[in-house]
């Protein structure tokens, strides 16, 4: 099996990065993390990558005169590393349409809500304020519009009496850590087709087909 090379973009804590690193530690997983890029030099996520023996780069957005220049540097680093798939994991910079187009169908993000509900920030507090009974997380393909793009996978959690935003966030985060590796696996196995703004997941290939491609 040839594993897909994944680049992960991070800005902070990196718990979703950790979930991806842990999944990729299994040599049977169809992807490996080849590069982690942070736009913030002291992002705790970088230490997680280093601990796992994964190459890291810091590309501070403040070093660039425009978003286009920053994105061009990201793009160069990803292509130099031979990256096939990009995962955003708590990455907080808006990516330009040109960059997004260059990775169309090959870039995914995890969002802490059941999209299309609660796009944007403070999703847990807003879900509580609306009184929803179900909340959750979404992995979606990245398109130029924020928190939009075809939905790849979702997981729901109950909202419980007495929840505050932190308690709800913790319940959702457990699902993010389960869902993100699952969604990456589907994409890395080449099972995701996109049509009409939706994803369709093909059945897994029979045993051995992906593992032993014939010339
Ligand atoms: C996202 C959306 C908006 C901001 C940060 C994150 C969600 C995920 C995402 C990151 N980059 C993206 C997406 C996305 O869904 N679609 C695209 N790019 N095209 C946000 O408003 N960020 C601001 C900065 C925050 C900061 O640095 O703390 C910003 O001005 O970029
Ligand atoms: C996660 O909850 C992720 O869903 C969220 O930021 C957190 C990052 O945590 N992402 C967004 O809100 C994107 N709009 P992590 O750094 O521990 O993975």
């Amino acid at each position: 099996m040839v594993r897909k090379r994944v680049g992960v973009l991070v800005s902070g804590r990196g718990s979703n990065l950790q979930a991806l690193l842990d999944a990729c530690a299994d040599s049977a997983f169809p992807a490996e993390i080849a590069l982690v890029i942070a736009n913030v030099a002291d992002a705790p996520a970088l230490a997680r990558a280093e601990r796992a023996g994964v190459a890291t780069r810091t590309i501070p957005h403040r070093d660039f005169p425009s978003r286009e220049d920053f994105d061009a540097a990201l793009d160069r680093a990803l292509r130099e590393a031979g990256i096939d798939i990009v995962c955003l994991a708590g990455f907080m910079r808006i990516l330009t349409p040109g960059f997004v187009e260059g990775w169309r169908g090959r870039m995914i993000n995890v969002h802490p809500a059941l999209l299309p509900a609660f796009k944007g920030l403070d999703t847990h507090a807003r879900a509580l304020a609306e009184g929803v009974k179900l909340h959750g997380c979404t992995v979606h393909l990245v398109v130029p519009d924020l928190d939009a793009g075809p939905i790849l996978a979702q997981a729901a959690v109950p909202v419980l009496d007495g929840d505050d935003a932190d308690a709800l966030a913790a319940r959702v985060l457990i699902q993010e850590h389960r869902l993100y590796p699952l969604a990456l696996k589907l994409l890395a196995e080449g099972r995701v087709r996109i049509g009409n703004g939706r994803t369709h997941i093909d059945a897994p290939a029979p045993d051995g087909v992906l593992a032993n491609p014939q010339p």
Side-chain angles (χ1 to χ4, degrees):
M1 175 190 50
V2 179
R3 304 172 88 195
K4 290 287 191 314
R5 292 173 65 79
V6 175
V8 186
L9 306 188
V10 298
S11 301
R13 176 177 62 178
S15 73
N16 278 290
L17 167 66
Q18 190 67 57
L20 297 176
L21 288 166
D22 292 348
C24 291
D26 178 352
S27 62
F29 194 81
E32 62 183 319
I33 305 208
L35 179 63
V36 172
I37 304 177
N39 66 311
V40 180
D42 59 358
L46 288 169
R48 296 179 186 268
E50 280 158 19
R51 220 178 301 133
V54 168
T56 63
R57 300 268 305 256
T58 300
I59 305 183
H61 59 275
R62 290 181 201 288
D63 288 0
F64 298 86
S66 70
R67 288 188 189 267
E68 283 75 14
D69 290 299
F70 171 61
D71 285 5
L74 286 181
D75 198 66
R76 211 174 313 120
L78 292 165
R79 295 191 191 279
E80 274 171 17
I83 296 303
D84 302 304
I85 293 173
V86 177
C87 291
L88 308 185
F91 181 69
M92 290 318 289
R93 295 302 295 175
I94 296 174
L95 297 162
T96 55
F99 178 90
V100 173
E101 180 57 33
W103 292 95
R104 180 152 56 128
R106 298 187 296 148
M107 179 158 60
I108 56 180
N109 179 46
V110 62
H111 180 75
L114 291 172
L115 291 172
F118 306 117
K119 295 181 178 186
L121 301 179
D122 295 324
T123 56
H124 309 301
R126 286 158 55 216
L128 288 172
E130 293 288 355
V132 299
K133 300 295 186 191
L134 276 178
H135 186 46
C137 54
T138 302
V139 177
H140 63 94
L141 288 140
V142 177
V143 298
D145 283 349
L146 300 180
D147 300 326
I151 291 170
L152 193 45
Q154 293 186 301
V157 304
V159 179
L160 302 180
D161 282 353
D163 268 351
D164 60 14
D166 286 348
L168 185 54
R171 195 175 307 118
V172 171
L173 194 63
I174 291 168
Q175 295 306 315
E176 293 185 41
H177 297 164
R178 196 183 61 78
L179 194 70
Y180 209 4
L182 184 103
L184 174 59
K185 181 170 190 282
L186 295 175
L187 195 62
E189 287 173 342
R191 292 170 54 194
V192 178
R193 283 178 300 113
I194 304 163
N196 223 354
R198 289 144 207 264
T199 62
H200 301 272
I201 310 301
D202 289 332
D207 267 1
V209 170
L210 285 178
N212 302 303
Q214 297 302 309

